[in-house]
Amino acid sequence: MGKFKLAMVAAMSLTNGIGKDGGLPWRLKGEMAYFRNLTSHVSDGDKQRGVRNAVIMGRKTWASIPPKFRPLSGRINIVISRTQSAQDLGVDPASKDVRVFASVEDALQYLAGPPSGDTAAIGRVFVIGGAQLYAELLDLDNSIATVDKLLVTRILAPQYDCDAHFAEFRTREQLDADADLAKKVAPAAIGAPVEALLEKHLPQLLEQSRWTQASPQALRDYLGTSVPAALADSPDLVSREDETWYQYQLWMRQD
Ligand SMILES: NC(=O)c1ccc[n+]([C@@H]2O[C@H](COP(=O)([O-])OP(=O)(O)OC[C@H]3O[C@@H](n4cnc5c(N)ncnc54)[C@H](OP(=O)(O)O)[C@@H]3O)[C@@H](O)[C@H]2O)c1
């Protein structure tokens, strides 16, 4: 099998904040349903062949999922830990739903390996966090795999306090586009403190773009039938839950 493509999935603030105190800074039911649909979706034909997608996560993200919701159903869960074995994590080593690997390389070899009992039918492979795993894999481009897509939920407003971040992958122009959208949809939530936050963030931006934001239609095409019904009427894929505004985005690596 040739080199395979990985997609990263992350919800992040205007300045790429993704976590707080080991958990998510926000609680967004609709966004969680989007994540579930996006990472579970396989075409009808593939479904008949028993294809399942895989989600790769760091041990701390695994630990942050409430036990009754893990493993994430309908997907092959790949957990990476240097220090803990499947047994330590209370996972059946023979499970076809969860596999624990001591390194990213071992996990990728497993996913890329020749079909066997449980790898016979793997569809899309998603890296779902957390901060450490995103940082290690964002620029991955080795002989086994490359990350070519970012599925970002951009939390536009309000600005949540975060202590874990996703590496900056945008230029000034790309950040400005997100900030302008935030000002348009939630003007009351964007003021001087947010401007100061953005100003402080500027040194992290890339000089030259490495990622291109794809059109909403390209994201819809990628999602296939898993497009949330609520987004059918939203041309820019912007959603609101209570006071939180966010946009579903697809970014493609530039060659
Ligand atoms: N907003 C989002 O979309 C999103 C998504 C996921 C997570 N998060 C947030 O991200 C935060 C967690 O991130 P985190 O960075 O603390 O943890 P993490 O990346 O989930 O897990 C880190 C752990 O993974 C293992 N690991 C990482 N790289 C490894 C490697 N190369 N080889 C072997 N093992 C490796 C290590 O486990 P051992 O210590 O066991 O060796 C390490 O301690 C939480 O706040 C969570 O809510 C946010």
Side-chain angles (χ1 to χ4, degrees), residues 6 10 13 62 73-74 76 80 87 91 100 103 182 248-249:
L6 299 170
S13 72
W62 168 263
S73 62
I76 299 168
I80 315 284
Q87 226 160 10
V91 168
V100 180
S103 73
Y248 294 121
Q249 304 179 341

Side-chain angles (χ1 to χ4, degrees), residues 9-12 17-26 57-62 64 80-84 101-104 128-134 136 163-164:
V9 187
M12 60 186 89
I18 60 164
K20 174 76 178 163
D21 299 331
L24 293 175
W26 41 76
M57 71 194 97
R59 193 261 307 161
K60 292 184 183 171
T61 293
W62 168 263
S64 76
I80 315 284
S81 172
R82 275 187 202 92
T83 60
Q84 303 201 26
F101 292 95
S103 73
V104 169
I128 62 164
Q132 261 191 49
L133 220 59
Y134 289 140
E136 288 175 44
D163 60 16

Side-chain angles (χ1 to χ4, degrees), residues 169-199:
F169 59 91
R170 296 165 298 177
T171 60
R172 173 74 192 257
E173 199 184 336
Q174 291 171 328
L175 169 74
D176 286 348
D178 284 331
D180 288 347
L181 180 64
K183 282 173 201 151
K184 190 175 123 196
V185 300
I190 307 287
V194 179
E195 297 293 351
L197 192 75
L198 292 174
E199 192 67 31

